[in-house]
């Protein structure tokens, strides 16, 4: 129990928890948009399973840390560029995220959700959504675990930080999902952000490092502008006399 009195471990724990929450924002947005295609009564359960899956994936990867760190070793070379297991996961995960985000944007723009009932039923399948969440969880979790190992070498502290951060995300996920559903323009902004994240993942697969701070700053700035637009539209609606 000596670690309870160790201020360095507490600082590492709080820093890592905050970082895990920030790194989990794109995961929450992706889950929220996918879950929105399910019937309303299934959405809370899907969000819970999705985030629980994210937590389980991160802890399993953390406990397999030796294997995870080996993923950074080059497997082969292409035109002088070393390709590791991590690069492959980031590349295909980024492609998957680009594909899903672009497809969701197309559905929103073309009104495909009012299309063929059989297609909608398949798209809304509970297990289909969970499988898609599981795929992208592996990508986000891999980067998150490697970041955690770089900050802290104490496995129990890392596990505790992951559990707490996912707990916070579970509490916030419902509110975020409802807010996105109520504001279609915000959903489009979130999907555009996921396109950027997918592009960044592909770039990192080729060792082109894009500081995440720039991406999150752009997202925060865009959200602030959209929040002002939402408030302005509400104010104009209240001023407009009923027809």
């Amino acid at each position: 129990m000596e670690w309870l009195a160790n201020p360095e471990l507490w600082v590492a724990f709080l820093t890592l928890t905050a970082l895990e929450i920030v790194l989990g924002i794109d995961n929450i947005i992706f889950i929220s948009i996918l879950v929105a295609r399910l019937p309303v009564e299934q959405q809370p359960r899907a969000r819970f399973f999705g985030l629980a899956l994210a937590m389980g994936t991160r802890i399993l990867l953390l406990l397999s840390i030796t294997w995870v760190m080996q993923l950074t070793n080059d497997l082969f070379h292409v035109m002088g560029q070393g390709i590791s297991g991590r690069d492959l996961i980031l590349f295909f995960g980024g492609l998957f995220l680009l594909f899903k985000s672009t497809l969701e944007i197309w559905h929103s723009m073309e009104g495909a959700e009012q299309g063929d009932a059989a297609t909608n039923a398949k798209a809304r399948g509970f297990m289909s959504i969970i499988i898609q969440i599981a795929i992208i969880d592996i990508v986000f979790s891999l980067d998150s675990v490697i970041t955690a190992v770089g900050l802290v070498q104490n496995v129990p502290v890392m596990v505790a930080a992951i559990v707490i951060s996912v707990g916070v995300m579970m509490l916030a996920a419902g509110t975020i999902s409802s807010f996105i559903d109520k504001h279609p323009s915000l959903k489009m902004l979130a999907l555009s952000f996921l396109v950027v994240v997918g592009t960044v993942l592909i770039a990192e697969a080729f060792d082109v490092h894009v500081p995440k701070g720039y991406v999150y700053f752009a997202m925060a700035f865009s959200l602030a502008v959209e929040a002002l637009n939402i408030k302005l539209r509400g104010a104009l609606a209240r001023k407009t006399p009923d027809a």
Side-chain angles (χ1 to χ4, degrees):
M1 300 295 288
E2 294 181 1
W3 64 272
L4 288 173
N6 188 334
E8 291 183 3
L9 282 182
W10 277 106
V11 170
F13 167 73
L14 294 173
T15 301
L16 185 56
T17 301
L19 186 60
E20 288 289 331
I21 292 172
V22 171
L23 290 175
I25 290 174
D26 39 20
N27 206 352
I28 292 178
I29 293 173
F30 182 78
I31 290 174
S32 298
I33 290 172
L34 278 183
V35 166
R37 300 181 68 83
L38 288 168
V40 176
E41 64 273 11
Q42 290 186 3
Q43 291 181 14
R45 190 158 57 102
R47 280 194 298 268
F48 175 81
F49 276 115
L51 287 169
L53 201 58
M55 180 172 66
T57 303
R58 292 182 188 190
I59 291 175
L60 285 175
L61 287 174
L62 199 56
L63 297 177
S64 308
I65 195 61
T66 303
W67 174 77
V68 170
M69 297 314 293
Q70 286 176 350
L71 290 175
T72 58
N73 299 328
D74 290 344
L75 298 176
F76 54 90
H77 290 76
V78 176
M79 300 179 65
Q81 175 74 41
I83 305 296
S84 66
R86 174 180 177 272
D87 294 334
L88 291 175
I89 292 174
L90 291 179
F91 178 75
F92 288 108
L95 282 180
F96 177 76
L97 197 57
L98 277 176
F99 170 75
K100 284 301 299 180
S101 302
T102 305
L103 189 62
E104 289 292 335
I105 290 173
W106 181 82
H107 280 314
S108 299
M109 295 292 291
E110 296 297 324
E113 291 176 340
Q114 282 85 39
D116 185 73
T119 302
N120 280 341
K122 183 178 179 181
R124 290 196 300 265
F126 186 84
M127 286 309 300
S128 172
I129 298 297
I130 294 299
I131 290 170
Q132 291 177 62
I133 290 172
I135 291 171
I136 209 64
D137 274 346
I138 293 172
V139 180
F140 288 140
S141 297
L142 181 67
D143 225 20
S144 175
V145 168
I146 291 175
T147 301
V149 173
L151 286 176
V152 185
Q153 281 72 48
N154 190 300
V155 173
V157 169
M158 288 188 280
V159 171
I162 288 171
V163 172
I164 296 298
S165 63
V166 173
V168 171
M169 287 189 282
M170 283 180 173
L171 292 175
T175 303
I176 292 173
S177 294
S178 299
F179 195 69
I180 289 176
D181 287 341
K182 289 178 182 176
H183 303 284
S185 59
L186 197 60
K187 179 180 178 180
M188 194 62 65
L189 182 63
L191 286 168
S192 301
F193 168 69
L194 290 176
V195 169
V196 173
V197 172
T199 304
V200 169
L201 290 175
I202 293 173
E204 290 190 353
F206 293 98
D207 293 333
V208 178
H209 180 64
V210 180
K212 294 286 180 62
Y214 293 151
V215 178
Y216 288 121
F217 174 78
M219 179 189 178
F221 180 78
S222 300
L223 285 174
V225 173
E226 183 58 27
L228 290 174
N229 282 331
I230 290 171
K231 189 172 182 180
L232 178 61
R233 286 195 293 268
L236 291 175
R238 287 192 295 270
K239 289 180 180 179
T240 303
D242 294 334

